[in-house]
Amino acid sequence: MNEAPVAIVTGGSGGIAPGIVRALVAAGFAVVITARDIARLQAAADALGDGGAVVALASDATSPSSIAGMVKAVLDRFGRIDVLVNAAASSNPIGGAIEDVDVDLLIADVDTKVGGYLRYTQAVVPAMKAQGLGHVINIGGLTGRSSDTLSGLRNVAVAHLTKVLSDQLGPFGISVNAVHPGIVRTPHLEELFAELAHDRGVEPAVIEAEFTADIPTGAILDVDRIGDMVAFIATAQDAAITGQSLTVDGGYSRGIYL
């Protein structure tokens, strides 16, 4: 059986996942990355792994049986699950005129992220309860704090789900927290800069400068900064920090919360 702590990272083949995986590996975790596309997952594991510290196992966030099979494989191989990082989500925002919104697509988006987070949590909770300690970390997003994009409602739901789960799982020594990244440099962000620049007939650097100007620290975040926060929560020795929505955004959010 494995002696190192074990973390599962969903949505593990791209986005902010590399920063999270690197931070967890550096903290001494064996990391299982999971998503639907095993070829992309394996390529990511090969790029991130150090002596086999990162393992690729496919699963589908919308399929309970697929998730159960992946979790069983983790337990069979490592004998434990200490951390679940839920990061699986569609990268295509849903918005525009309300008359044109595809409601079925919106519901499918919520099912992947919110439903998926719940399904993965359901699957790992028995092992965490048996250990008497565990951490579930749900990756949300700042669109939940604005009305710019309709699909931001999924991040409001993530915050609500996080609080409900923390109430239920706290007595078993399991913490549940949400981490909300700000503007983070990912391939998707670079695509957004290029798209906006094309529409306005300017260089992508102009768009990036405009985004950066709204960040008090004056810098777009690297994915490793999100990883730092995840690793901080994942290495806690108890569930004292739980039920929280924690933002890593360089001060980009302007809301005041008491």
Side-chain angles (χ1 to χ4, degrees):
M1 291 295 180
N2 183 67
E3 294 184 358
V6 176
I8 297 173
V9 178
T10 78
S13 57
I16 64 171
I20 294 171
V21 174
R22 282 192 292 267
L24 290 173
V25 170
F29 284 83
V31 181
V32 175
I33 57 174
T34 187
R36 288 177 298 179
D37 189 334
I38 188 61
R40 288 187 62 197
L41 273 176
Q42 192 58 59
D46 292 343
L48 294 165
D50 181 11
V54 181
V55 175
L57 292 174
S59 66
D60 182 342
T62 65
S63 169
S65 61
S66 171
I67 293 169
M70 182 275 296
V71 168
K72 182 179 184 302
V74 173
L75 291 172
D76 287 346
R77 179 165 181 163
F78 296 105
R80 61 190 297 163
I81 298 171
D82 301 274
V83 172
L84 168 67
V85 182
N86 278 314
S90 167
S91 61
N92 298 315
I94 298 170
I98 199 68
E99 297 92 337
D100 300 327
V101 169
D102 185 329
V103 177
D104 291 337
L105 187 61
L106 178 66
I107 297 302
D109 181 54
V110 173
D111 185 40
T112 296
K113 186 164 189 175
V114 184
Y117 284 15
L118 179 55
R119 293 182 191 103
Y120 281 110
T121 302
Q122 288 175 318
V124 303
V125 157
M128 290 185 177
K129 282 184 175 180
Q131 294 164 192
L133 177 65
H135 302 292
V136 177
I137 303 165
N138 296 324
I139 304 300
L142 295 184
T143 57
R145 295 182 178 175
S146 72
S147 57
D148 296 335
T149 305
L150 184 59
S151 53
L153 62 84
R154 68 187 189 180
N155 292 321
V156 178
V158 165
H160 185 273
L161 175 65
T162 296
K163 198 67 175 177
V164 172
L165 291 175
S166 72
D167 286 350
Q168 293 197 15
L169 300 179
F172 300 96
I174 302 169
S175 79
V176 188
N177 292 286
V179 172
H180 300 286
I183 300 175
V184 183
R185 193 175 300 281
T186 63
H188 176 65
L189 184 67
E190 300 292 351
E191 291 171 4
L192 176 62
F193 288 164
E195 179 182 334
L196 293 175
H198 178 269
D199 291 343
R200 288 175 48 185
V202 299
E203 292 298 316
V206 173
I207 304 298
E208 180 172 339
E210 292 175 355
F211 273 70
T212 303
D214 286 334
I215 305 173
T217 56
I220 291 174
L221 295 173
D222 185 270
V223 293
D224 290 332
R225 300 291 73 76
I226 310 305
D228 290 342
M229 174 60 82
V230 169
F232 171 75
I233 300 169
T235 54
Q237 297 304 303
D238 57 32
I241 300 175
T242 192
Q244 302 305 304
S245 285
L246 307 166
T247 300
V248 183
D249 69 350
Y252 181 72
S253 297
R254 297 309 200 277
I256 298 171
Y257 299 88
L258 299 178

